[in-house]
Amino acid sequence: DAGVTQSPTHLIKTRGQQVTLRCSPKSGHDTVSWYQQALGQGPQFIFQYYEEEERQRGNFPDRFSGHQFPNYSSELNVNALLLGDSALYLCASSLTGGQPQHFGDGTRLSIL
Amino acid sequence: ELKVEQNPLFLSMQEGKNYTIYCNYSTTSDRLYWYRQDPGKSLESLFVLLSNGAVKQEGRLMASLDTKARLSTLHITAAVHDLSATYFCAVDLGNTDKLIFGTGTRLQVFP
């Protein structure tokens, strides 16, 4: 049973570019959440998708957007990249109702 | 705004010793999670605590939750080197699967 898979594993971009990160949830999970983890810090909630809609959002600017597809997979898009967007981006999937979120291995994004 | 604080931020301990990591949070929540993260790796779920007084144990780690005090603890018994990692607590804000993570506790166990 595959867990949460993310692609790509590493990505290097320059300021002002746009990036798309992808996530496939664990089989049977219907909710996908995205987190940003800067070096040496805890993950910060970006947003959550359920039934192809953004259900919740953290304190991130509109440059961060996402999508969930009918097969529950999800994308995170970031426009107009800034140096401060350099981080590990984690995708987590879950079934609602108090079950732990399962995290993917993350995409390490570096902005030059 | 929910704040989650852990202490200590860094813990260096000798093998065989016991210690406790504390996680305080600022608003009501009945769901608290503990995760482990190895350097350069993702998050591994350790414990799910869903009610006041919940206690879970796995090997040398034991977690507890006091929702009235808004406090969770992660107790380490007879530490071994393999426990070296960063440990995060995370509170589910409003029981909505939106996790607010603590600052993390970096644990190093030495011989």
Side-chain angles (χ1 to χ4, degrees), chain A residues 1-75:
Chain A
D1 179 22
V4 180
T5 58
Q6 292 186 244
S7 64
T9 54
H10 294 87
L11 205 50
I12 299 174
K13 292 284 187 179
T14 57
R15 282 178 295 174
Q17 285 189 311
Q18 178 265 344
V19 69
T20 297
L21 311 181
R22 295 176 176 83
C23 171
S24 293
K26 181 178 169 66
S27 178
H29 286 182
D30 56 7
T31 302
V32 173
S33 302
W34 287 91
Y35 295 83
Q36 180 195 66
Q37 186 177 22
L39 196 61
Q41 298 184 20
Q44 290 200 326
F45 178 82
I46 302 175
F47 43 52
Q48 181 184 89
Y49 278 85
Y50 174 72
E51 291 188 343
E52 301 179 50
E53 297 285 335
E54 183 183 288
R55 184 162 68 174
Q56 300 189 80
R57 190 178 182 90
N59 294 326
F60 279 80
D62 292 345
R63 299 186 297 109
F64 289 77
S65 63
H67 190 77
Q68 186 179 35
F69 299 93
N71 66 352
Y72 305 116
S73 66
S74 178
E75 289 182 349

Side-chain angles (χ1 to χ4, degrees), chain B residues 6-67:
Chain B
Q6 287 180 237
N7 69 84
L9 297 182
F10 182 77
L11 177 57
S12 181
M13 58 189 297
Q14 194 172 18
E15 281 188 330
K17 299 293 187 182
N18 304 330
Y19 208 83
T20 300
I21 299 171
Y22 297 88
C23 173
N24 293 273
Y25 53 99
S26 61
T27 193
T28 302
S29 176
D30 291 330
R31 295 188 198 170
L32 190 136
Y33 304 85
W34 284 95
Y35 287 90
R36 166 181 171 147
Q37 187 175 40
D38 291 294
K41 302 294 186 181
S42 188
L43 296 164
E44 175 191 355
S45 176
L46 295 174
F47 299 109
V48 181
L49 302 169
L50 298 177
S51 62
N52 187 41
V55 177
K56 296 278 184 75
Q57 182 163 6
E58 180 73 32
R60 302 176 186 273
L61 300 178
M62 183 174 70
S64 66
L65 177 63
D66 182 343
T67 58

Side-chain angles (χ1 to χ4, degrees), chain A residues 99-112:
Chain A
Q99 299 305 309
Q101 295 184 26
H102 293 251
F103 284 81
D105 289 339
T107 294
R108 186 161 297 281
L109 176 63
S110 299
I111 311 302
L112 303 179

